[in-house]
Amino acid sequence: MSTSPTRPAWKHDGVRVVPGDRLDANTAQTPGMDRKAAINFARVGAQKLWAGTVHIHPNAKTGAHHHGPLESVIYIVKGRARMRWGEHLEFTAEAGPGDFIYVPPFVPHQEINASPTEVLECVLVRSDGEAVAINLDIEPAEPPENVPWIDPTHPG
């Protein structure tokens, strides 16, 4: 079967499977964190998202930052994540294996490995292939306020 201008070459331009041992570490790195890209424009032609993994070393944390207009989803595979967010990082919540974290556009936040001994392993997905990270100079509020999640579609 041949391809033509009206028939795409699905064999190499269709579904892609990126083996877990073939992720690309040539991506923006933060001290204490190891990011690897699985899905992005360069690797598969993705135009509206970036997906990969991040391993956060014990006790490591990012500085305060936001990702501009991008939305982010973090899925916790192993370990314990602590997120702080707000104008002064005044809010906090923790997540463990099987939990999802959603970070809306422009929200100042900080990712923290809550464990002093265990690596935090996560899958990260962003709503654009562009690596947007705007660092912020924020004096964190202490202590932060713990904020439990309330499901707006099924309030209890």
Side-chain angles (χ1 to χ4, degrees):
M1 189 181 289
S2 65
T3 60
S4 69
T6 59
R7 185 174 182 93
W10 293 124
K11 180 176 180 180
H12 297 291
D13 294 331
V15 172
R16 317 290 170 73
V17 175
V18 179
D21 64 353
R22 306 260 320 266
L23 303 185
D24 184 6
N26 187 23
T27 185
Q29 300 294 330
T30 302
M33 304 173 86
D34 302 313
R35 281 189 197 86
K36 292 183 179 178
I39 308 297
N40 61 18
F41 181 78
R43 303 196 86 212
V44 302
Q47 297 184 27
K48 297 181 181 178
L49 58 87
W50 183 99
T53 61
V54 62
H55 290 182
I56 303 174
H57 304 188
N59 273 338
K61 61 184 175 182
T62 66
H65 64 283
H66 68 73
H67 298 288
L70 307 185
E71 294 177 287
S72 298
V73 173
I74 304 166
Y75 174 76
I76 309 303
V77 175
K78 179 181 176 188
R80 193 100 193 127
R82 179 177 302 126
M83 297 292 289
R84 289 189 66 169
W85 72 94
E87 292 298 319
H88 297 283
L89 305 178
E90 64 268 31
F91 306 113
T92 189
E94 290 197 8
D99 293 342
F100 288 84
I101 299 168
Y102 171 67
V103 182
F106 298 103
V107 172
H109 65 281
Q110 176 182 48
E111 296 103 348
I112 303 166
N113 182 341
S115 172
T117 59
E118 186 178 15
V119 171
L120 172 61
E121 298 179 14
C122 306
V123 173
L124 173 61
V125 178
R126 292 216 178 102
S127 62
D128 194 314
E130 198 173 322
V132 174
I134 292 99
N135 294 318
L136 304 169
D137 187 16
I138 292 177
E139 186 66 36
E142 295 298 343
E145 175 186 346
N146 187 48
V147 180
W149 183 67
I150 298 170
D151 185 344
T153 60
H154 301 96

